[in-house]
Amino acid sequence: MFRRIGSGVVRHPVWTIVAWLIAAVAIVATAPSLPSNSDESSFLPKSYESIKAADLQTKAFPSAFTPSAIALYQRSDGGKLTAADQKDVARITTELGKKHIDQVQKVVPGQPSKDGRYTMTLVQMDSKNAGQPAQADAAKVLRDDVKQLAKGTDLDVKLGGSAAQALDQQDSSKRGEALIGIGTFLIILVTLLIIFRAPILAVLPLVLIGVVASIANGLIAYATKLFGLQANSSVSSILIVVLFGVGTDYFLFLMFRYRERLRAGDEPKQAMINAVARVGEAIASAAGAVIIAFLALVLSTLGFLKQMGPALAISVTVTLIAGLTLIPAVVSLIGPKVFWPSKSWQQEPQNARFAALGRGVQRRPALTAALSGLVLVALSLGTLGYKATFDLASGSMPKTKESMVVQDEIQKAYSAGAAAPTDVYLSSTDGKPLDKSAFPGYAEKLGAVDGVASARMSQLNPGGTTADFTVTLKYEASTEKAIDAVGRVRDVAHASAPDGTKALVGGMSSIYKDINTAVNHDYRTVFPVAALLIMLILGLLLRSVVAPWYLIASVGLGFGATLGATVWIFQDAQGHPGLMFMLPVIMYLFVVAIGTDYNILMIARLREEAREGRDPREAASMALRHAGPTVAAAGFILAATFATMMLAGNALLTEMGFAVSFGIAVAAFVMAMFFTPSLTALIGHAAWWPGHADRTQESAGGHASDTSGPVSGPGDEDAVTHDPASRRG
């Protein structure tokens, strides 16, 4: 199949390129815009208690005031607010309400702080559009207007709240994407120049992947709209890295094999056909593992991850198709001039360092496996200290952003939980009015819960069937202490509800509590499903039942080592209260899926060496010698591109950038280089049971690999195989 694909695109390169350009123009011109949603509650299914509570609030208290934006005032000199300052605040609040800004429903004065240094204006917006771009636009107008109205006074005013956070997150995301894009571009360009010393070859993948990115983004926007998925601005930053990182990897695999076929004496066009034929199966298998792992996110209960899974799967699918069609078509048109001005492509390198590493694995496979395994296990111990944090807004932007400054100042000036109180809704189950005499005792029980600062009955709906008890926690809403406290509030609220009533607990801490439950569900569902599907792909590729088990186990160890190292660096060394809650899920999928890619490349080369008659230990040595350079180059580029996410300047992408880049480095330079080949050498022929895919033609009864077909991974890029017969196209 891959030979037919290669033959088709090489014989009709112009038509292939034209088809891609037409597709790019059509998709980009017609694709809808990709919205961004920063409302954490929209990521949860309707079955969770916090969402049920929000729905009940909408029905029972349709006019309830929930601020979407908060203007926080203080004197410029930091002193207590004077009577004149209070008058200015009242005037600004009134004039702000008269402006009738889009999305704004009500503007009211807030409470002053106990120390008299702060006061607030509260702005209510349309709850149906919470987290949507329209409210971010409204926040921009509000921020400009409130600062304009405060000119000429002694007041310093800042705008915070969820709408302002959405605005700041949007701006931060644009800056982050620009930095990530520039960093990724430079890393790929410089690394390819060092590897090939050919400017055309260094620039070509960036141009081609740019076309692929435009198509992928358009298809993602279509899919998001078609299936009603939730979007988040952080997805765009991740997509840049996935497209350029994975795309460059597939480009490398193909170009190394193309160079090998040219060295073997193939005519240029035939060399590209043979390259696609021989590398296609391994690239498709590697991409398949990544795509399936990403699609496993569809099983997540979180809207953010549900959207991310298909988006990344679409990106890798388009990249795979481009790797097998667009790249071969363009390179076949250019021919060997793509390597200009370097002449090194005409000679086979000796790979002395990798040959020495291979000999070390051959002599002491048990020691190599033990030492590399010990490193992974030692790093994995850090996972025991893992804690999660759930404030997606503050995690998605720097602490210096105005809305984050407001959040911190409100927490210091008021009760830590005052900015996002918890609501307990007590409802009649039989439609009869509630017994008001039970309210004081119920509020007292809620107020006595460990971690609660105060509790009071704040409002009753017109029919008297639902009461709202406002519970203020002692802790900021997204902290682990607040989430534990709201769990205790739930227990007491449910247990103490009078006969004939039902209690639902809402608010941000309740939402975070449910997100925590949802993430734990994902750990139990997404992880094993992704692992089983990847093992299935490995089994089909390797025709083995044994090898997939220790390959996936090694990648699992890599995941543990990555999470452990991330915990030590960010929680222990930098003092973060925890890692962003979705990080382990994303890390697992990237490290397991992409880590499997490098294992596929190494094991495929090892199988090829074994088929030439080498014993398991020698095959491992030769595999490392010849596949090592590709794994090292691909691993370095991909790890470095993911590391550019640390330039974004926010906790989520910084943690994700480090974790994924570290995981890929572990996968390439520990697992694929040492752990996998040494284990395979130790297990020997049994690793290939029941298929015996490592046997020579004589011992396998004539079922040796066809060297002109896709029998091995792109790991054999830099070496012409030792069997002269393998030089045939």
Side-chain angles (χ1 to χ4, degrees), residues 539-586:
L540 292 172
L541 172 69
L542 302 174
R543 283 78 168 173
S544 167
V545 173
V546 177
W549 284 99
Y550 68 82
L551 289 177
I552 203 72
S554 70
V555 177
L557 267 179
F559 164 77
T562 303
L563 180 57
T566 307
V567 167
W568 277 334
I569 286 177
F570 289 96
Q571 286 185 202
D572 298 339
Q574 296 190 15
H576 287 201
L579 303 179
M580 289 307 296
F581 66 91
M582 79 282 281
L583 186 64
V585 177
I586 295 170

Short mmCIF file of all heavy atoms in Angstrom, two decimals, residues 539-586:
data_model
loop_
_atom_site.label_atom_id
_atom_site.label_comp_id
_atom_site.label_asym_id
_atom_site.label_seq_id
_atom_site.Cartn_x
_atom_site.Cartn_y
_atom_site.Cartn_z
N GLY A 539 1.13 -4.69 18.78
CA GLY A 539 0.99 -6.11 18.47
C GLY A 539 0.82 -6.36 16.99
O GLY A 539 1.42 -7.28 16.42
N LEU A 540 0.01 -5.52 16.32
CA LEU A 540 -0.21 -5.67 14.88
C LEU A 540 1.06 -5.36 14.10
O LEU A 540 1.37 -6.03 13.11
CB LEU A 540 -1.36 -4.76 14.43
CG LEU A 540 -2.75 -5.13 14.95
CD1 LEU A 540 -3.76 -4.05 14.58
CD2 LEU A 540 -3.19 -6.48 14.39
N LEU A 541 1.77 -4.32 14.52
CA LEU A 541 3.00 -3.94 13.81
C LEU A 541 4.08 -5.00 13.97
O LEU A 541 4.74 -5.39 13.00
CB LEU A 541 3.51 -2.59 14.34
CG LEU A 541 4.90 -2.17 13.83
CD1 LEU A 541 4.85 -1.82 12.36
CD2 LEU A 541 5.44 -1.00 14.64
N LEU A 542 4.27 -5.49 15.21
CA LEU A 542 5.38 -6.39 15.51
C LEU A 542 5.02 -7.86 15.38
O LEU A 542 5.88 -8.73 15.48
CB LEU A 542 5.90 -6.11 16.93
CG LEU A 542 6.37 -4.67 17.19
CD1 LEU A 542 6.72 -4.48 18.64
CD2 LEU A 542 7.56 -4.33 16.30
N ARG A 543 3.72 -8.14 15.17
CA ARG A 543 3.23 -9.54 15.08
C ARG A 543 3.67 -10.32 16.32
O ARG A 543 4.13 -11.45 16.25
CB ARG A 543 3.75 -10.25 13.83
CG ARG A 543 3.04 -9.87 12.54
CD ARG A 543 3.52 -8.55 12.03
NE ARG A 543 3.06 -8.28 10.66
CZ ARG A 543 3.24 -7.12 10.05
NH1 ARG A 543 3.84 -6.13 10.68
NH2 ARG A 543 2.81 -6.95 8.82
N SER A 544 3.55 -9.64 17.47
CA SER A 544 4.01 -10.24 18.72
C SER A 544 3.01 -9.98 19.84
O SER A 544 2.37 -8.93 19.87
CB SER A 544 5.38 -9.66 19.11
OG SER A 544 5.72 -10.00 20.43
N VAL A 545 2.90 -10.93 20.76
CA VAL A 545 2.08 -10.76 21.94
C VAL A 545 2.94 -10.32 23.12
O VAL A 545 2.49 -9.61 24.02
CB VAL A 545 1.34 -12.07 22.29
CG1 VAL A 545 0.62 -11.95 23.63
CG2 VAL A 545 0.34 -12.43 21.19
N VAL A 546 4.21 -10.68 23.11
CA VAL A 546 5.11 -10.42 24.24
C VAL A 546 5.64 -8.99 24.24
O VAL A 546 5.54 -8.28 25.24
CB VAL A 546 6.29 -11.42 24.23
CG1 VAL A 546 7.27 -11.10 25.37
CG2 VAL A 546 5.78 -12.85 24.35
N ALA A 547 6.20 -8.55 23.11
CA ALA A 547 6.86 -7.25 23.04
C ALA A 547 5.97 -6.08 23.47
O ALA A 547 6.43 -5.20 24.21
CB ALA A 547 7.42 -7.01 21.64
N PRO A 548 4.69 -6.02 23.04
CA PRO A 548 3.86 -4.87 23.45
C PRO A 548 3.76 -4.70 24.97
O PRO A 548 3.66 -3.57 25.46
CB PRO A 548 2.49 -5.19 22.84
CG PRO A 548 2.79 -6.05 21.66
CD PRO A 548 3.97 -6.87 22.09
N TRP A 549 3.81 -5.80 25.73
CA TRP A 549 3.67 -5.70 27.18
C TRP A 549 4.84 -4.96 27.82
O TRP A 549 4.64 -4.05 28.61
CB TRP A 549 3.52 -7.10 27.80
CG TRP A 549 2.16 -7.68 27.59
CD1 TRP A 549 1.78 -8.57 26.65
CD2 TRP A 549 0.98 -7.36 28.33
NE1 TRP A 549 0.44 -8.85 26.75
CE2 TRP A 549 -0.09 -8.12 27.78
CE3 TRP A 549 0.70 -6.52 29.41
CZ2 TRP A 549 -1.38 -8.05 28.26
CZ3 TRP A 549 -0.59 -6.45 29.90
CH2 TRP A 549 -1.62 -7.21 29.33
N TYR A 550 6.06 -5.34 27.45
CA TYR A 550 7.17 -4.65 28.11
C TYR A 550 7.45 -3.29 27.48
O TYR A 550 7.99 -2.39 28.14
CB TYR A 550 8.43 -5.53 28.16
CG TYR A 550 9.14 -5.82 26.87
CD1 TYR A 550 10.03 -4.91 26.31
CD2 TYR A 550 8.97 -7.04 26.21
CE1 TYR A 550 10.71 -5.19 25.14
CE2 TYR A 550 9.64 -7.33 25.05
CZ TYR A 550 10.50 -6.40 24.51
OH TYR A 550 11.18 -6.69 23.34
N LEU A 551 7.03 -3.09 26.23
CA LEU A 551 7.18 -1.76 25.63
C LEU A 551 6.26 -0.75 26.32
O LEU A 551 6.67 0.36 26.66
CB LEU A 551 6.87 -1.82 24.12
CG LEU A 551 7.89 -2.54 23.25
CD1 LEU A 551 7.42 -2.59 21.80
CD2 LEU A 551 9.25 -1.86 23.33
N ILE A 552 4.98 -1.15 26.53
CA ILE A 552 4.05 -0.23 27.18
C ILE A 552 4.41 -0.05 28.66
O ILE A 552 4.21 1.02 29.23
CB ILE A 552 2.59 -0.70 27.00
CG1 ILE A 552 1.62 0.49 27.14
CG2 ILE A 552 2.21 -1.76 28.00
CD1 ILE A 552 1.63 1.45 26.02
N ALA A 553 4.95 -1.10 29.28
CA ALA A 553 5.38 -0.98 30.68
C ALA A 553 6.54 0.01 30.79
O ALA A 553 6.59 0.81 31.74
CB ALA A 553 5.79 -2.35 31.21
N SER A 554 7.46 -0.04 29.82
CA SER A 554 8.59 0.88 29.87
C SER A 554 8.13 2.32 29.69
O SER A 554 8.62 3.24 30.35
CB SER A 554 9.63 0.52 28.79
OG SER A 554 9.14 0.80 27.50
N VAL A 555 7.13 2.52 28.79
CA VAL A 555 6.61 3.87 28.59
C VAL A 555 5.85 4.33 29.83
O VAL A 555 5.88 5.51 30.19
CB VAL A 555 5.72 3.91 27.33
CG1 VAL A 555 5.12 5.29 27.14
CG2 VAL A 555 6.53 3.55 26.09
N GLY A 556 5.16 3.40 30.50
CA GLY A 556 4.49 3.73 31.75
C GLY A 556 5.47 4.20 32.81
O GLY A 556 5.21 5.15 33.56
N LEU A 557 6.63 3.54 32.86
CA LEU A 557 7.69 3.97 33.78
C LEU A 557 8.17 5.37 33.41
O LEU A 557 8.46 6.19 34.28
CB LEU A 557 8.87 3.00 33.73
CG LEU A 557 8.90 1.85 34.74
CD1 LEU A 557 10.14 0.99 34.50
CD2 LEU A 557 8.91 2.38 36.17
N GLY A 558 8.25 5.63 32.11
CA GLY A 558 8.65 6.96 31.65
C GLY A 558 7.66 8.03 32.10
O GLY A 558 8.05 9.13 32.49
N PHE A 559 6.37 7.68 32.06
CA PHE A 559 5.35 8.61 32.55
C PHE A 559 5.54 8.90 34.03
O PHE A 559 5.51 10.05 34.48
CB PHE A 559 3.95 8.04 32.31
CG PHE A 559 2.87 8.72 33.10
CD1 PHE A 559 2.40 9.96 32.72
CD2 PHE A 559 2.34 8.14 34.25
CE1 PHE A 559 1.42 10.61 33.46
CE2 PHE A 559 1.36 8.77 34.99
CZ PHE A 559 0.89 10.01 34.59
N GLY A 560 5.76 7.84 34.82
CA GLY A 560 5.96 8.02 36.25
C GLY A 560 7.18 8.88 36.54
O GLY A 560 7.14 9.76 37.41
N ALA A 561 8.25 8.64 35.79
CA ALA A 561 9.48 9.42 35.99
C ALA A 561 9.24 10.89 35.65
O ALA A 561 9.73 11.79 36.33
CB ALA A 561 10.60 8.85 35.12
N THR A 562 8.47 11.13 34.59
CA THR A 562 8.19 12.51 34.17
C THR A 562 7.35 13.25 35.20
O THR A 562 7.65 14.39 35.56
CB THR A 562 7.46 12.50 32.81
OG1 THR A 562 8.27 11.80 31.86
CG2 THR A 562 7.22 13.90 32.31
N LEU A 563 6.28 12.61 35.67
CA LEU A 563 5.42 13.25 36.67
C LEU A 563 6.21 13.48 37.96
O LEU A 563 6.09 14.55 38.58
CB LEU A 563 4.19 12.38 36.94
CG LEU A 563 3.19 12.93 37.97
CD1 LEU A 563 2.70 14.31 37.55
CD2 LEU A 563 2.01 11.98 38.14
N GLY A 564 7.02 12.52 38.36
CA GLY A 564 7.82 12.67 39.57
C GLY A 564 8.78 13.83 39.48
O GLY A 564 8.90 14.64 40.42
N ALA A 565 9.47 13.97 38.34
CA ALA A 565 10.42 15.07 38.16
C ALA A 565 9.69 16.42 38.16
O ALA A 565 10.19 17.41 38.71
CB ALA A 565 11.19 14.89 36.85
N THR A 566 8.51 16.45 37.56
CA THR A 566 7.73 17.70 37.50
C THR A 566 7.28 18.11 38.90
O THR A 566 7.30 19.29 39.26
CB THR A 566 6.50 17.52 36.59
OG1 THR A 566 6.93 17.02 35.31
CG2 THR A 566 5.78 18.84 36.38
N VAL A 567 6.86 17.14 39.71
CA VAL A 567 6.46 17.42 41.10
C VAL A 567 7.64 17.99 41.88
O VAL A 567 7.52 19.00 42.59
CB VAL A 567 5.94 16.14 41.79
CG1 VAL A 567 5.83 16.33 43.30
CG2 VAL A 567 4.58 15.74 41.22
N TRP A 568 8.81 17.36 41.75
CA TRP A 568 9.99 17.83 42.48
C TRP A 568 10.38 19.26 42.09
O TRP A 568 10.74 20.08 42.93
CB TRP A 568 11.16 16.88 42.25
CG TRP A 568 11.12 15.69 43.17
CD1 TRP A 568 10.53 15.62 44.40
CD2 TRP A 568 11.69 14.40 42.93
NE1 TRP A 568 10.69 14.37 44.95
CE2 TRP A 568 11.40 13.59 44.07
CE3 TRP A 568 12.40 13.83 41.89
CZ2 TRP A 568 11.80 12.27 44.18
CZ3 TRP A 568 12.81 12.51 41.99
CH2 TRP A 568 12.51 11.74 43.12
N ILE A 569 10.30 19.56 40.80
CA ILE A 569 10.76 20.87 40.34
C ILE A 569 9.75 21.97 40.67
O ILE A 569 10.11 23.02 41.20
CB ILE A 569 11.05 20.83 38.82
CG1 ILE A 569 12.36 20.05 38.59
CG2 ILE A 569 11.16 22.24 38.24
CD1 ILE A 569 12.73 19.87 37.15
N PHE A 570 8.47 21.74 40.38
CA PHE A 570 7.49 22.82 40.54
C PHE A 570 6.89 22.88 41.95
O PHE A 570 6.67 23.97 42.47
CB PHE A 570 6.38 22.67 39.50
CG PHE A 570 6.83 23.01 38.11
CD1 PHE A 570 7.24 22.02 37.23
CD2 PHE A 570 6.89 24.33 37.68
CE1 PHE A 570 7.68 22.33 35.96
CE2 PHE A 570 7.34 24.66 36.41
CZ PHE A 570 7.73 23.65 35.54
N GLN A 571 6.60 21.74 42.55
CA GLN A 571 6.02 21.76 43.89
C GLN A 571 7.08 21.92 44.97
O GLN A 571 6.97 22.78 45.85
CB GLN A 571 5.22 20.48 44.15
CG GLN A 571 3.89 20.42 43.43
CD GLN A 571 3.06 19.19 43.80
OE1 GLN A 571 2.20 18.78 43.06
NE2 GLN A 571 3.33 18.59 44.95
N ASP A 572 8.13 21.10 44.90
CA ASP A 572 9.14 21.10 45.96
C ASP A 572 10.16 22.23 45.81
O ASP A 572 10.44 22.96 46.76
CB ASP A 572 9.85 19.75 46.01
CG ASP A 572 8.89 18.61 46.34
OD1 ASP A 572 7.82 18.89 46.90
OD2 ASP A 572 9.21 17.45 46.02
N ALA A 573 10.70 22.39 44.59
CA ALA A 573 11.75 23.39 44.39
C ALA A 573 11.18 24.81 44.27
O ALA A 573 11.71 25.75 44.86
CB ALA A 573 12.58 23.05 43.16
N GLN A 574 10.09 24.97 43.52
CA GLN A 574 9.55 26.31 43.28
C GLN A 574 8.40 26.67 44.21
O GLN A 574 7.90 27.80 44.19
CB GLN A 574 9.10 26.45 41.82
CG GLN A 574 10.25 26.33 40.84
CD GLN A 574 9.82 26.71 39.42
OE1 GLN A 574 8.78 27.29 39.20
NE2 GLN A 574 10.65 26.35 38.44
N GLY A 575 7.94 25.71 45.00
CA GLY A 575 6.92 26.02 45.99
C GLY A 575 5.51 26.17 45.46
O GLY A 575 4.66 26.79 46.12
N HIS A 576 5.22 25.64 44.26
CA HIS A 576 3.85 25.70 43.75
C HIS A 576 2.94 24.87 44.67
O HIS A 576 3.33 23.79 45.13
CB HIS A 576 3.77 25.15 42.33
CG HIS A 576 4.38 26.06 41.31
ND1 HIS A 576 4.07 26.00 39.96
CD2 HIS A 576 5.29 27.06 41.42
CE1 HIS A 576 4.76 26.91 39.31
NE2 HIS A 576 5.51 27.56 40.17
N PRO A 577 1.69 25.35 44.91
CA PRO A 577 0.79 24.56 45.78
C PRO A 577 0.38 23.23 45.16
O PRO A 577 -0.04 22.32 45.86
CB PRO A 577 -0.43 25.49 45.93
CG PRO A 577 -0.37 26.41 44.76
CD PRO A 577 1.08 26.61 44.47
N GLY A 578 0.50 23.13 43.85
CA GLY A 578 0.17 21.89 43.14
C GLY A 578 0.36 22.09 41.66
O GLY A 578 0.70 23.19 41.19
N LEU A 579 0.17 21.02 40.89
CA LEU A 579 0.25 21.09 39.44
C LEU A 579 -1.16 21.24 38.87
O LEU A 579 -2.13 20.79 39.48
CB LEU A 579 0.90 19.82 38.88
CG LEU A 579 2.30 19.48 39.41
CD1 LEU A 579 2.79 18.18 38.78
CD2 LEU A 579 3.29 20.60 39.15
N MET A 580 -1.29 21.85 37.69
CA MET A 580 -2.60 22.02 37.08
C MET A 580 -3.28 20.66 36.94
O MET A 580 -2.65 19.68 36.55
CB MET A 580 -2.48 22.69 35.73
CG MET A 580 -2.09 24.17 35.81
SD MET A 580 -3.14 25.17 36.89
CE MET A 580 -4.69 25.06 36.02
N PHE A 581 -4.57 20.62 37.25
CA PHE A 581 -5.29 19.36 37.43
C PHE A 581 -5.27 18.45 36.20
O PHE A 581 -5.29 17.23 36.33
CB PHE A 581 -6.74 19.63 37.84
CG PHE A 581 -7.58 20.31 36.79
CD1 PHE A 581 -8.32 19.58 35.87
CD2 PHE A 581 -7.65 21.70 36.73
CE1 PHE A 581 -9.09 20.20 34.91
CE2 PHE A 581 -8.42 22.33 35.77
CZ PHE A 581 -9.15 21.58 34.86
N MET A 582 -5.25 19.03 34.97
CA MET A 582 -5.31 18.16 33.79
C MET A 582 -3.93 17.72 33.31
O MET A 582 -3.82 16.94 32.37
CB MET A 582 -6.05 18.86 32.65
CG MET A 582 -5.23 19.88 31.88
SD MET A 582 -5.08 21.45 32.73
CE MET A 582 -6.69 22.11 32.31
N LEU A 583 -2.87 18.19 34.00
CA LEU A 583 -1.51 17.90 33.53
C LEU A 583 -1.20 16.41 33.45
O LEU A 583 -0.66 15.96 32.44
CB LEU A 583 -0.49 18.63 34.42
CG LEU A 583 0.96 18.52 33.96
CD1 LEU A 583 1.15 19.20 32.61
CD2 LEU A 583 1.89 19.17 34.99
N PRO A 584 -1.50 15.60 34.48
CA PRO A 584 -1.17 14.17 34.37
C PRO A 584 -1.85 13.47 33.19
O PRO A 584 -1.24 12.62 32.54
CB PRO A 584 -1.66 13.59 35.70
CG PRO A 584 -1.60 14.73 36.65
CD PRO A 584 -2.00 15.92 35.84
N VAL A 585 -3.10 13.86 32.87
CA VAL A 585 -3.80 13.23 31.74
C VAL A 585 -3.10 13.59 30.43
O VAL A 585 -2.80 12.73 29.60
CB VAL A 585 -5.27 13.68 31.69
CG1 VAL A 585 -5.97 13.10 30.46
CG2 VAL A 585 -6.01 13.26 32.95
N ILE A 586 -2.82 14.88 30.25
CA ILE A 586 -2.16 15.33 29.02
C ILE A 586 -0.75 14.73 28.92
O ILE A 586 -0.33 14.26 27.87
CB ILE A 586 -2.09 16.87 28.99
CG1 ILE A 586 -3.51 17.45 28.91
CG2 ILE A 586 -1.26 17.36 27.81
CD1 ILE A 586 -3.58 18.93 29.12
#
